[in-house]
Amino acid sequence: MSFSNRYDRNMTALSADECAALANARITVVGCGGLGGLVIEALARIGVGHLRVIDGDVFEESNLNRQLLCTEANLGREKALAAAERVAAVNSEVEVDPIAAYLRGENASELLAGCDCVVDCLDNLEARFWAAHACQNLGTPIVYGAIAGWFGQVCTVYPGDVSFAALYGEPFGESQHQKLGNLPFTAYSISSIQAAEAVKVVLGKPGQIRNRLLMVDLLDGSVDDMELR
């Protein structure tokens, strides 16, 4: 690698073989906002070699309270393109494929094909269900995360695991995240767990949050683990 000391602090938490595996890994992050921007940052810094970043939205002033990629200078800029620029500035060894488009039923399979893991950083239930459905059909693991106020949750779903509907019931319901707000430290906490899960998925490491839901409440300082059935 061109920067010989870049990954020194990955050792010995990761082996040399695992770092090499990350360099060859392909991860797709859907949503480049509060969760997604931070997930992209973590994956680029740890050395994931290929990132596809998908988001059709642009930055607005209300994003400034929590979204790492959002600055006063890039308000109105496409989030996916800003994510690619950020990765290039942080780790030029990472190949980034920015897609400035919204994930929908008609394009989900095409957008998510060809990767080792998908990280769901979306903010609406309809897109989440399309992403989950596409990953099921593609045979791709998906790491789900969501925040609402002081609360957040994470789980990793492989094809054949307890379905996404176990979390939300019928598809295309109403999300509560906007009603409860989005706080910066909640986004930072949940995105960190999502990034760790994605790394564990591509490396095949144990301890993944499968068939269970990790729930973090930063207001009362609690972490709960619920089995999904």
Side-chain angles (χ1 to χ4, degrees):
M1 292 181 178
S2 56
F3 295 93
S4 59
N5 297 322
R6 177 186 292 277
Y7 302 110
D8 281 358
R9 296 304 177 96
N10 285 358
M11 311 295 183
T12 57
L14 297 174
S15 69
D17 287 344
E18 287 176 326
C19 287
L22 287 178
N24 291 317
R26 296 180 177 273
I27 296 179
T28 297
V29 181
V30 192
C32 301
L35 291 173
L38 291 150
V39 169
I40 292 164
E41 178 92 358
L43 296 179
R45 288 186 180 275
I46 204 171
V48 173
H50 308 271
L51 293 175
R52 184 182 303 156
V53 297
I54 302 169
D55 199 316
D57 201 6
V58 300
F59 289 118
E60 57 186 47
E61 193 171 7
S62 64
N63 301 149
L64 287 166
N65 83 312
R66 69 198 181 283
Q67 296 191 15
L68 175 71
L69 300 176
C70 183
T71 67
E72 293 180 358
N74 69 8
L75 294 177
R77 184 82 195 283
E78 293 92 343
K79 294 182 180 182
L81 300 183
E85 288 184 359
R86 173 66 179 180
V87 172
V90 167
N91 190 347
S92 59
E93 296 179 351
V94 178
E95 177 185 296
V96 186
D97 177 19
I99 300 175
Y102 290 106
L103 187 142
R104 307 184 191 280
E106 60 269 20
N107 65 8
S109 292
E110 180 182 358
L111 292 180
L112 302 182
C115 64
D116 302 307
C117 178
V118 171
V119 186
D120 171 1
C121 299
L122 293 158
D123 63 359
N124 70 89
L125 288 183
E126 181 172 355
R128 288 191 189 279
F129 274 99
W130 287 127
H133 181 70
C135 285
Q136 179 75 21
N137 290 338
L138 292 166
T140 305
I142 182 169
V143 178
Y144 153 78
I147 60 173
W150 296 77
F151 179 80
Q153 54 192 31
V154 181
C155 72
T156 295
V157 180
Y158 281 71
D161 285 354
V162 175
S163 75
F164 192 77
L167 297 176
Y168 285 109
E170 292 300 317
F172 316 132
E174 182 181 5
S175 175
Q176 299 298 310
H177 81 281
Q178 291 181 334
K179 295 180 180 179
L180 298 175
N182 298 126
L183 300 175
F185 35 75
T186 315
Y188 302 160
S189 300
I190 298 304
S191 62
S192 295
I193 300 171
Q194 284 185 280
E197 282 293 295
V199 168
K200 288 189 288 183
V201 167
V202 298
L203 295 181
K205 296 183 79 66
Q208 297 172 35
I209 308 169
R210 289 185 63 183
N211 294 317
R212 57 194 178 97
L213 183 67
L214 187 71
M215 299 173 289
V216 180
D217 190 331
L218 296 177
L219 188 59
D220 66 14
S222 66
V223 178
D224 295 309
D225 191 301
M226 180 179 71
E227 182 181 359
L228 298 177
R229 299 180 178 179

